[in-house]
Amino acid sequence: MKHLKLFEEFLTKEVVKRVTINKERAKSLVNESERKLRSLNEQLEKIGVKDDNANDYVEYCYGIIIYLVRAKMLLVGYNASGQGAYEAEVSYMRILGFNEKDVQFADQIRFFRNGMLYYGTMLDKVYAEEVIKFTKRIYQKLRGMLK
């Protein structure tokens, strides 16, 4: 996994562009993140975490996190698109005040999610539990930034 660039580099390369603030789209992303979190919690309660569903939970957690980051970007007039957009969104977490360890872990989740979608990467129960714990820890902080 390569080093995550600074957010400013994504601006310079125009992966991130200034756009009109879009409160409605941001609200929609927040609602979707909340829905995914409720669904995740319900599945955890009913099914629990297993190697067999680890990928599903990691993908859910990634969505929960990135939708909130994307919503915040839209509220301040940024939009990422094209190659590197997901990396730019994770990099924006630095701007939001997350420590480097959290940013790097979020980037690792992004990297593994990409591996699941395109290369057949299989994750295990232990990693999924770590991702779930991380997601629940930073969710409230991210959510609080959107009020």
Side-chain angles (χ1 to χ4, degrees):
M1 194 168 71
K2 61 185 178 180
H3 177 72
L4 183 63
K5 298 175 192 167
L6 296 175
F7 184 72
E8 293 75 19
E9 293 178 62
F10 292 103
L11 280 168
T12 301
K13 294 188 179 195
E14 297 188 348
V15 173
V16 175
K17 295 178 182 160
R18 279 290 197 179
V19 295
T20 303
I21 291 171
N22 191 336
K23 291 181 182 179
E24 287 304 310
R25 178 69 179 128
K27 182 179 177 181
S28 171
L29 289 166
V30 170
N31 289 341
E32 183 62 10
S33 178
E34 290 173 346
R35 185 196 67 73
K36 282 184 175 297
L37 182 62
R38 284 191 307 273
S39 182
L40 173 70
N41 286 330
E42 184 178 339
Q43 289 180 42
L44 288 171
E45 187 178 304
K46 290 181 179 178
I47 302 169
V49 184
K50 307 170 190 173
D51 286 339
D52 196 44
N53 60 19
N55 281 24
D56 298 329
Y57 289 146
V58 170
E59 192 167 357
Y60 252 61
C61 288
Y62 179 78
I64 290 165
I65 294 166
I66 215 64
Y67 285 176
L68 294 179
V69 171
R70 194 173 294 156
K72 181 61 177 174
M73 288 176 68
L74 287 168
L75 289 174
V76 296
Y78 287 125
N79 185 56
S81 64
Q83 188 169 3
Y86 294 123
E87 291 173 80
E89 291 167 338
V90 172
S91 183
Y92 189 70
M93 292 175 70
R94 291 179 179 126
I95 304 296
L96 296 177
F98 285 92
N99 66 46
E100 192 61 24
K101 182 179 176 187
D102 285 347
V103 172
Q104 290 301 320
F105 190 72
D107 192 46
Q108 182 185 80
I109 297 169
R110 179 202 58 78
F111 179 81
F112 285 139
R113 178 188 165 272
N114 187 62
M116 290 184 304
L117 293 175
Y118 301 108
Y119 305 108
T121 300
M122 295 299 296
L123 303 171
D124 63 17
K125 173 185 176 179
V126 173
Y127 184 71
E129 289 171 336
E130 191 177 345
V131 170
I132 291 164
K133 183 178 176 184
F134 173 79
T135 301
K136 289 183 174 192
R137 181 173 60 79
I138 70 163
Y139 177 83
Q140 288 305 322
K141 182 176 179 180
L142 280 168
R143 190 64 185 88
M145 293 176 184
L146 293 159
K147 291 187 178 189

